[in-house]
Amino acid sequence: MKISLKLVFTSLLAILFLIGAYVLSSKYFEHYTSEFIDHDIYSDYLSEERRVFVRLPKGYDSQKSYPLIIKLDGNFNLNRWHESVTTLSEKS
């Protein structure tokens, strides 16, 4: 049984495409999802919804008060942000 060079090339190209799609989708989920709680707030001024990410410390107690840290650059680098906040909360 002879396999054509065109079929082999097409198959390899499809495999490379699928691997690339997998890598990109995993990077997307890594950078845009986290243990943060998402809230959508409608802005009358902008006439659109904006997403706010809230992260509560481990062992959060609604009867206690906590310092507020605000990150202004959207949902980029959420993993790094999560690591930093976790480290800071463990030191207090």
Side-chain angles (χ1 to χ4, degrees):
M1 186 163 83
K2 187 177 178 183
I3 300 174
S4 75
L5 189 58
K6 187 175 182 179
L7 178 61
V8 170
F9 180 73
T10 305
S11 298
L12 287 174
L13 194 59
I15 290 169
L16 286 175
F17 174 78
L18 290 174
I19 291 171
Y22 173 77
V23 168
L24 286 176
S25 67
S26 66
K27 290 223 179 265
Y28 172 83
F29 284 106
E30 180 182 313
H31 289 287
Y32 295 104
T33 60
S34 70
E35 296 180 21
F36 287 68
I37 301 166
D38 300 350
H39 291 281
D40 292 325
I41 299 173
Y42 185 79
S43 168
D44 290 327
Y45 185 78
L46 297 173
S47 299
E48 66 183 19
E49 286 199 352
R50 299 297 243 171
R51 182 156 287 168
V52 176
F53 302 94
V54 177
R55 184 192 175 280
L56 301 173
K58 278 186 181 176
Y60 172 76
D61 181 354
S62 63
Q63 302 300 313
K64 293 182 179 179
S65 62
Y66 297 89
L68 175 65
I69 302 173
I70 299 175
K71 178 179 177 286
L72 298 176
D73 60 347
N75 59 344
F76 298 104
N77 297 316
L78 285 178
N79 284 340
R80 176 72 59 165
W81 180 245
H82 177 74
E83 291 168 9
S84 299
V85 171
T86 300
T87 300
L88 289 171
S89 67
E90 289 172 352
K91 292 182 178 186
S92 59

